[in-house]
Amino acid sequence: AQSVTQLDSQVPVFEEAPVELRCNYSSSVSVYLFWYVQYPNQGLQLLLKYLSGSTLVESINGFEAEFNKSQTSFHLRKPSVHISDTAEYFCAVPGYSSASKIIFGSGTRLSIRP
Amino acid sequence: DAMVIQNPRYQVTQFGKPVTLSCSQTLNHNVMYWYQQKSSQAPKLLFHYYDKDFNNEADTPDNFQSRRPNTSFCFLDIRSPGLGDAAMYLCATSRDKAGEGETQYFGPGTRLLVL
């Protein structure tokens, strides 16, 4: 069975500081990994995903995540956060019972202090 | 430019009074999903359609039903809402199977309040 763990429920950081949101997964099959972001009072939207190839994937707004097979991790990082990055971030992996679905982690709330 | 549209954005209903939430998409995607999200929690999949094939999650209560009359529309029916059904309901679509790497596109959600 596949599962995903987000170790931090909340991460407070100061504006312009670096941030890392942690995600670990367990999987015995091919791995696809996703980070979705949910801004206040909105639906989720894809931030970035790993399918194959380069283990480092980047988003258009400065976030990046690295697929680490040996540590079964897919941590999300940004070198300098902005107030507008305030949101809930969900890591996700494919569902084990159906290829049509993905399983979300419990989420990490990123709060930015000015 | 709206791709996944949910109506209404806010819905108030009475305990036990049936309610229907709607979702439409302009993406012509094969797969449509309904999620329930309670405060500070991850979205919980209720069911999904792959084209016309309906897939119910094992732990989705019988109180929740869904219809997909065509590619563009999908409805969530709650037959007898209870106080515990108050939540944000998210509709999402994907071109093909999300578990095979496809991106899911979410609507803005409908927040349901049960009085």
Side-chain angles (χ1 to χ4, degrees), chain A residues 27-99:
Chain A
S27 171
S28 59
V29 296
S30 298
V31 175
Y32 302 116
L33 296 159
F34 309 84
W35 275 101
Y36 280 82
V37 59
Q38 185 175 30
Y39 298 105
N41 298 314
Q42 295 185 26
L44 283 71
Q45 56 186 276
L46 181 73
L47 188 59
L48 46 78
K49 62 182 177 181
Y50 170 79
L51 300 180
S52 65
S54 173
T55 57
L56 185 67
V57 289
E58 299 176 347
S59 72
I60 59 173
N61 58 352
F63 282 93
E64 63 179 31
E66 186 162 20
F67 167 54
N68 189 318
K69 187 175 182 179
S70 63
Q71 297 186 5
T72 60
S73 68
F74 191 54
H75 300 332
L76 182 69
R77 301 182 180 95
K78 189 171 184 179
S80 177
V81 296
H82 188 266
I83 289 285
S84 59
D85 295 323
T86 298
E88 187 96 21
Y89 292 79
F90 294 96
C91 185
V93 297
Y96 54 86
S97 61
S98 168

Side-chain angles (χ1 to χ4, degrees), chain A residues 32 34 36 38 41-46 49 51 88 90 93-95 97-102 104-107 109, chain B residues 9 31 33 35 37 40-43 45 48 50 57 88 90 97-104 106-108 111:
Chain A
Y32 302 116
F34 309 84
Y36 280 82
Q38 185 175 30
N41 298 314
Q42 295 185 26
L44 283 71
Q45 56 186 276
L46 181 73
K49 62 182 177 181
L51 300 180
E88 187 96 21
F90 294 96
V93 297
S97 61
S98 168
S100 291
K101 66 181 187 181
I102 58 176
F104 290 98
S106 54
R109 184 173 298 276
Chain B
R9 292 293 311 275
V31 195
Y33 309 79
Y35 290 90
Q37 186 180 30
S40 301
Q41 296 183 21
L45 184 64
H48 72 275
Y50 187 88
E57 292 301 295
M88 176 76 89
L90 296 167
K97 298 175 180 178
E100 294 181 350
E102 292 288 340
T103 298
Q104 285 190 312
F106 285 79
R111 186 168 297 280

